[in-house]
Amino acid sequence: MNKDFCLAQLSEETGITGHKISYLINAEFRLNFNDYVNLKRIQYLLENINAPILKNLSIEKMSLICGFGSRASCFRALRKHKGKSLKHFK
């Protein structure tokens, strides 16, 4: 949920090269690293949309808590991965 999370950070934390992580994500999920991270953020958002941590927050605050840099980037990821807007899930 860290908006600044990047491939280099994951590589450093795991000791696996960024190239290998990128290859594995692409081979397993057919996504690049950033799309994979955004998919995980979307999954977290949708799993917790009615949970107390997110339920009464604005869409912008929900997006930020889930690690997106803005509401717009959250909306783009939702459209890309789920084909629907946040309002559909709320």
Side-chain angles (χ1 to χ4, degrees), residues 51-83:
I53 192 168
L54 298 178
K55 188 175 184 176
N56 297 318
L57 297 178
S58 69
I59 292 173
E60 180 137 14
K61 287 191 183 203
M62 279 191 240
S63 299
L64 296 175
I65 285 174
C66 293
F68 290 101
S70 68
R71 183 175 75 164
S73 62
C74 178
F75 285 178
R76 279 192 302 274
L78 264 167
R79 286 261 181 228
K80 182 174 190 170
H81 293 291
K82 300 296 181 182

Side-chain angles (χ1 to χ4, degrees), residues 17-86:
T17 66
H19 178 73
K20 188 163 192 157
I21 292 170
S22 183
Y23 172 80
L24 292 170
I25 290 172
N26 186 278
E28 185 69 26
F29 301 103
R30 302 278 185 231
L31 296 170
N32 65 41
F33 177 79
N34 289 329
D35 284 342
Y36 179 75
V37 170
N38 284 339
L39 176 61
K40 291 300 180 183
R41 289 173 176 152
I42 291 297
Q43 289 172 339
Y44 177 83
L45 172 63
L46 297 179
E47 288 170 4
N48 294 287
I49 199 163
N50 291 313
I53 192 168
L54 298 178
K55 188 175 184 176
N56 297 318
L57 297 178
S58 69
I59 292 173
E60 180 137 14
K61 287 191 183 203
M62 279 191 240
S63 299
L64 296 175
I65 285 174
C66 293
F68 290 101
S70 68
R71 183 175 75 164
S73 62
C74 178
F75 285 178
R76 279 192 302 274
L78 264 167
R79 286 261 181 228
K80 182 174 190 170
H81 293 291
K82 300 296 181 182
K84 299 176 181 166
S85 70
L86 187 58

